[in-house]
């Protein structure tokens, strides 16, 4: 069995953003040389997510509005976590959107369902953060 590991770095200029990272993860798959197996992609920070869904800007806007309703950023004083920091909402948004995804690799390609793409979800940006890509197989 082959094993491949890489960290991808992201720095988004805004507090919140969704980034399609499918091309970078596909590049990892090419580098790995693995054609049958599994890829794990996970955020390495507790205020960011990795998830799979549609690359459609209306949907991403809807996610942002929905997450702001669930866990509003303001007022920051409403959260006990916000002692010396202001990112309690980002921890909660990450919890809802998830930590990681696993995708099957078949014939050297990601075995996606229709319209599936891999996204990095940032909820406390403006600093460098990492995503782990781990691929196992043969
Ligand atoms: Zn925090």
């Amino acid at each position: 069995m082959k094993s491949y590991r890489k960290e991808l770095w992201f720095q988004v200029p805004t507090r919140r953003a969704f980034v399609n990272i499918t091309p970078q993860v596909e590049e990892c798959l090419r580098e790995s040389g693995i054609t049958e197996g599994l890829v794990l992609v996970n955020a390495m920070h507790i205020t960011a997510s990795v998830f799979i869904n549609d690359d459609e800007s209306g949907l991403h806007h809807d996610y942002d509005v929905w997450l702001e309703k669930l866990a509003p950023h303001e007022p920051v004083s409403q959260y006990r976590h916000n002692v010396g920091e202001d990112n309690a909402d980002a921890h909660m948004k990450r919890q809802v959107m998830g930590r990681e995804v696993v995708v099957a690799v078949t014939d050297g390609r990601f075995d996606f369902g229709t319209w599936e793409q891999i996204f990095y979800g940032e909820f406390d940006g403006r600093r460098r953060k990492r995503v782990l890509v781990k691929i196992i197989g043969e």
Side-chain angles (χ1 to χ4, degrees):
M1 188 193 76
K2 284 193 228 172
S3 174
Y4 171 95
R5 180 188 189 278
K6 189 167 190 178
E7 293 176 7
L8 305 176
W9 286 85
F10 298 95
Q11 179 164 0
V12 304
T14 51
R15 178 175 288 275
R16 296 193 300 274
F18 298 121
V19 181
N20 187 339
I21 62 170
T22 310
Q24 290 98 313
V25 184
E26 283 173 340
E27 180 59 31
C28 292
L29 181 59
R30 276 191 291 276
E31 278 179 19
S32 75
I34 291 169
T35 56
E36 293 289 330
L38 293 171
V39 57
L40 165 78
V41 188
N42 69 267
M44 299 182 83
H45 299 265
I46 52 182
T47 54
S49 289
V50 172
F51 63 94
I52 290 180
N53 216 298
D54 193 3
D55 193 4
E56 196 279 303
S57 61
L59 179 65
H60 296 174
H61 173 79
D62 295 340
Y63 277 147
D64 195 45
V65 171
W66 176 64
L67 290 167
E68 258 313 280
K69 283 183 194 159
L70 285 175
H73 177 65
E74 302 274 357
V76 296
S77 60
Q78 72 189 300
Y79 301 105
R80 288 195 187 182
H81 178 69
N82 285 343
V83 177
E85 56 181 324
D86 67 353
N87 67 0
D89 67 302
H91 290 274
M92 292 174 184
K93 286 162 176 150
R94 179 268 170 91
Q95 204 68 36
V96 168
M97 296 304 282
R99 172 183 181 265
E100 77 276 308
V101 299
V102 176
V103 182
V105 175
T106 304
D107 285 336
R109 301 182 61 186
F110 294 134
D111 213 335
F112 282 134
T114 306
W115 301 114
E116 284 191 336
Q117 296 280 287
I118 305 170
F119 292 90
Y120 175 67
E122 178 60 81
F123 308 112
D124 185 20
R126 300 173 293 190
R127 55 196 169 105
R128 277 164 56 77
K129 288 182 168 179
R130 289 172 297 161
V131 166
L132 176 68
V133 179
K134 181 87 180 191
I135 308 172
I136 57 172
E138 53 192 34

